[in-house]
Amino acid sequence: MSSPEFAVTDKETGELFGAIALSNNKRFNHGEIAYWIDEPYWGNGYVTEAAQSILQFAFE
């Protein structure tokens, strides 16, 4: 599996305010989620929602 990267956007307006990526290092049996959210959007649950979505994507 390659390292997918996704934009984090507002569902209604499409405004971009972050990004999330998933890596999979099979050699070391290690995966990692990396994310960036613009500071004005911190504390609103966007990373939680994005992380749940990217994990669902990875395992399905």
Side-chain angles (χ1 to χ4, degrees), residues 1 3 21-34 55 58-59:
M1 176 186 226
S3 298
L22 180 65
S23 66
N24 182 10
N25 187 326
K26 291 181 181 181
R27 180 177 176 203
F28 296 106
N29 196 29
H30 175 80
E32 182 175 273
I33 294 175
L55 286 173
F59 287 98

Side-chain angles (χ1 to χ4, degrees), residues 18-60:
I20 190 163
L22 180 65
S23 66
N24 182 10
N25 187 326
K26 291 181 181 181
R27 180 177 176 203
F28 296 106
N29 196 29
H30 175 80
E32 182 175 273
I33 294 175
Y35 65 89
W36 173 84
I37 299 293
D38 196 13
E39 192 171 355
Y41 300 96
W42 290 6
N44 293 304
Y46 297 124
V47 172
T48 300
E49 185 176 350
Q52 290 170 342
S53 294
I54 204 168
L55 286 173
Q56 181 177 1
F57 168 82
F59 287 98
E60 290 181 0

